[in-house]
Amino acid sequence: MGHTSGRRGRKRHGGGREAHRISPLTIAGRAVACAAGGSVMAVSGFSWYTYHDLTDGMTTSDALKAVQAPGASAPPHLDKAVNLLLIGLDSRKDQDGKDLSDDFVKNELHAGSSGIGAYETNTLILMHIPADGGKVEAFSIPRDDLVDLVNVPGGHPLGRNKIKEAYNQAKYYAEQKLSKQYSGAELEHRGRDAGRAATLLTVQKFLNVPIDHFAELNLKGFYDVAKALGPITVCLKHDTSDPTHGRTASDPGAGGGSGFVGHQGLNTLDPAMALAFVRQRHHLDDPANEGDFARTHRQQAFIAAVTNKLKQEGVFGDLGKMRGLLDAVKQDVVIDSSWDILDFAQQATNLTGGNVEFNTLPKERYGNDPVAGDVNIVDVAKIQAIVRQSIGVAPAAAPASASPSAAPSSSPSTAPATVDVQGTTAATAGEAAKDLTALGYTAGQASAGTARHSKTTVVYGAGAKDAAQQIATHLNVTSTTASSSVQAGHVLVTLGADYAPPATTAPSTPPAPGAATAPDPGTPSPGASPADQYAGPAVIGGNTCVD
């Protein structure tokens, strides 16, 4: 289907931005058309009409272009899986930057006043939707993780801070720069796009996976989604109450309670109580972290319950229900303008089948930073290894029956290439080569290099570009280089000081009795599954009870 600019009623953030379509619309169009038994042309025509009929007024953003631009160092894809970032914005303003009414914020949202909240991303969830229609893996990033914030090239440096601050700070600095050219709603739109781009770049660097699409929702948007969907049922492990303590008519921003009240077992939530449920962080079984991890699990449980309800009520197969849902959220939800639903629709159906597992990425400890204050200290390399292992790109074990002299054959997902490795020692190079050949690459030379390097590099000869990109992703290297000095069909890996040896194979000899062993920093423990590394239990489907 072709796209044209200037679609009726479409909202664009930033001058001349073209809005595209989102996946639920194709799912709705396809379901209705297929039910009618139409031909391929009828399906396409119906989907096109449905899309145009329902998406007038949708708000889109070009922020993703900054993430996918040359020089952004996006990790390469290994297959056609889709990574979708959900952004929950703690903002009490509309899309033009105008304050929501204090009465609505206080009495409906139970969120103090419109003057608080800023533009922090209190919810960041990356959903990995596999190309083969398998289980969707979702990773929640705690908002207080201390990371390197990444801004767009030429933007103000953001330094190290809590990950939730990337949006807020990038927006502030962008508006300082742009205020001489723009004002009002246009300045707000451009500032928010700067915040989105910084958030996407920061998450992409932190997890070392490419981001394909994003969706952003503020507090009002969440409320409107919950209102359009009707009552949502969640399960609690304990009775709980989180009163809005300290708030008065003269000081509506005081206190910090969400207003949620719930009992052990199943709870049916109206829109206001649904928002209070996902915002609660006091009076929960997570006192050391002020409820942030427990609140993250609540957000996961709510999304899981929503996906179950969408499936049970057949929303994606009912044009009227779909129209009602989209009309309710058009003013509050922002999606990326590059969303190609024709390629995405098949994978997106997994989200409504209860086939989603949510996990929360771990911290090493709590700490205090001179700039950011109280933070989660995280091991970036370990988190990246856990994510890679969870989505199926971790080192694979060599077949037990393979002959030591037999060269492993390439698997369908491994591009053919011969791999040469240079390390600080021949032994280090040999171990790295063994790790790579276990993935299906042909073993080349493994030797000690003539110089020490701070960074690991991946250089490839003619015909080996795809393999080089896969190897770079496996080794957490951000870019690859073509060189005529490397033999055709070969990839040369030069190990640097940043290289972390694989920790997936147990030692060949057992340790002495009583000897303490510790896992390699920056990698999951040998033999441990990703589930052993996460913060708290997984939330699966809509059946998990939370604190």
Side-chain angles (χ1 to χ4, degrees):
M1 259 177 281
H3 302 293
T4 59
S5 60
R7 293 193 180 102
R8 173 176 55 88
R10 296 300 297 274
K11 288 190 176 182
R12 303 173 192 168
H13 281 183
R17 298 180 182 175
E18 180 184 359
H20 287 255
R21 304 167 292 175
I22 60 172
S23 61
L25 309 179
T26 288
I27 298 170
R30 194 178 63 173
V32 176
C34 289
S39 66
V40 173
M41 288 299 293
V43 173
S44 299
F46 187 88
S47 297
W48 183 90
Y49 172 79
T50 301
Y51 162 69
H52 280 270
D53 183 47
L54 298 181
T55 58
D56 283 345
M58 268 291 185
T59 303
T60 61
S61 165
D62 282 344
L64 193 62
K65 291 181 179 180
V67 180
Q68 298 173 339
S73 299
H77 266 294
L78 296 183
D79 55 29
K80 292 184 179 180
V82 173
N83 295 323
L84 167 64
L85 183 65
L86 304 180
I87 301 173
L89 197 62
D90 189 25
S91 168
R92 289 123 171 107
K93 300 181 186 296
D94 66 16
Q95 295 296 341
D96 292 334
K98 297 178 181 178
D99 289 346
L100 303 176
S101 76
D102 278 341
D103 181 68
F104 176 76
V105 174
K106 178 183 178 183
N107 297 319
E108 295 294 327
L109 303 184
H110 302 298
S113 71
S114 58
I116 60 178
Y119 291 90
E120 297 174 342
T121 53
N122 279 349
T123 302
L124 290 170
I125 300 177
L126 184 82
M127 305 188 79
H128 176 80
I129 305 170
D132 62 2
K135 181 177 67 176
V136 175
E137 297 280 357
F139 308 96
S140 287
I141 305 171
R143 64 176 190 165
D144 289 341
D145 284 1
L146 181 64
V147 302
D148 292 324
L149 305 186
V150 184
N151 208 347
V152 296
H156 191 284
L158 303 180
R160 284 176 65 78
N161 210 316
K162 296 176 182 178
I163 197 167
K164 68 177 182 179
E165 288 290 340
Y167 195 119
N168 195 37
Q169 292 197 24
K171 178 180 185 294
Y172 170 81
Y173 287 118
E175 290 180 353
Q176 295 296 303
K177 183 177 180 180
L178 295 170
S179 59
K180 296 178 182 179
Q181 299 173 262
Y182 307 100
S183 61
E186 183 62 22
L187 181 61
E188 175 75 8
H189 297 166
R190 291 177 180 272
R192 286 199 183 188
D193 261 1
R196 294 173 188 126
T199 298
L200 295 166
L201 286 166
T202 298
V203 172
Q204 184 168 266
K205 179 179 179 181
F206 179 42
L207 301 186
N208 195 36
V209 295
I211 296 176
D212 302 294
H213 299 294
F214 75 87
E216 174 190 300
L217 199 66
N218 60 14
L219 293 184
K220 182 178 183 297
F222 183 94
Y223 177 89
D224 287 343
V225 168
K227 187 174 182 179
L229 288 173
I232 297 293
T233 301
V234 297
C235 182
L236 292 177
K237 294 179 181 178
H238 316 284
D239 294 349
T240 184
S241 176
D242 188 34
T244 55
H245 50 80
R247 288 178 180 158
T248 65
S250 60
D251 188 12
S258 70
F260 181 75
V261 178
H263 58 268
Q264 182 179 8
L266 297 179
N267 291 253
T268 301
L269 310 181
D270 62 19
M273 204 51 57
L275 181 59
F277 170 75
V278 299
R279 291 186 62 243
Q280 182 180 355
R281 64 187 179 96
H282 301 293
H283 309 104
L284 294 171
D285 188 18
D286 188 16
N289 199 39
E290 294 188 336
D292 272 353
F293 281 99
R295 175 165 64 173
T296 297
H297 296 149
R298 285 170 159 239
Q299 295 166 354
Q300 296 166 348
F302 185 85
I303 295 174
V306 166
T307 60
N308 275 2
K309 182 165 186 175
L310 290 173
K311 180 177 177 63
Q312 292 168 2
E313 297 192 356
V315 171
F316 292 140
D318 187 310
L319 189 58
K321 291 179 180 179
M322 178 60 66
R323 178 181 288 109
L325 175 60
L326 292 177
D327 285 346
V329 304
K330 285 176 182 176
Q331 304 302 317
D332 309 305
V333 177
V334 180
I335 61 172
D336 67 89
S337 59
S338 63
W339 207 311
D340 183 354
I341 54 169
L342 296 180
D343 183 55
F344 182 74
Q346 291 284 347
Q347 294 135 315
T349 56
N350 295 348
L351 299 177
T352 61
N355 194 23
V356 185
E357 179 173 314
F358 294 87
N359 281 290
T360 305
L361 295 174
K363 68 180 186 312
E364 297 303 300
R365 64 183 187 280
Y366 301 111
N368 186 272
D369 181 81
V371 174
D374 293 335
V375 296
N376 299 325
I377 304 299
V378 295
D379 184 330
V380 176
K382 183 170 80 172
I383 285 176
Q384 291 177 354
I386 291 170
V387 171
R388 291 198 307 273
Q389 186 177 351
S390 297
I391 64 179
V393 295
S401 59
S403 168
S405 60
S409 60
S410 296
S411 68
S413 61
T414 299
T418 298
V419 182
D420 303 311
V421 181
Q422 290 185 354
T424 53
T425 66
T428 302
E431 286 300 315
K434 185 186 299 183
D435 170 45
L436 293 171
T437 54
L439 297 179
Y441 302 106
T442 301
Q445 295 182 348
S447 59
T450 58
R452 304 181 73 88
H453 302 270
S454 60
K455 298 289 186 180
T456 298
T457 60
V458 178
V459 182
Y460 61 91
K465 180 178 180 179
D466 290 343
Q469 290 178 335
Q470 292 177 353
I471 291 168
T473 298
H474 176 70
L475 296 176
N476 194 23
V477 175
T478 57
S479 62
T480 61
T481 305
S483 175
S484 59
S485 64
V486 177
Q487 186 178 348
H490 283 239
V491 175
L492 172 62
V493 176
T494 303
L495 304 178
D498 61 342
Y499 170 69
T504 57
T505 305
S508 57
T509 56
T517 59
D520 253 352
T523 58
S525 300
S529 70
D532 299 326
Q533 308 289 325
Y534 291 122
V539 172
I540 303 174
N543 306 315
T544 304
C545 294
V546 295
D547 288 315

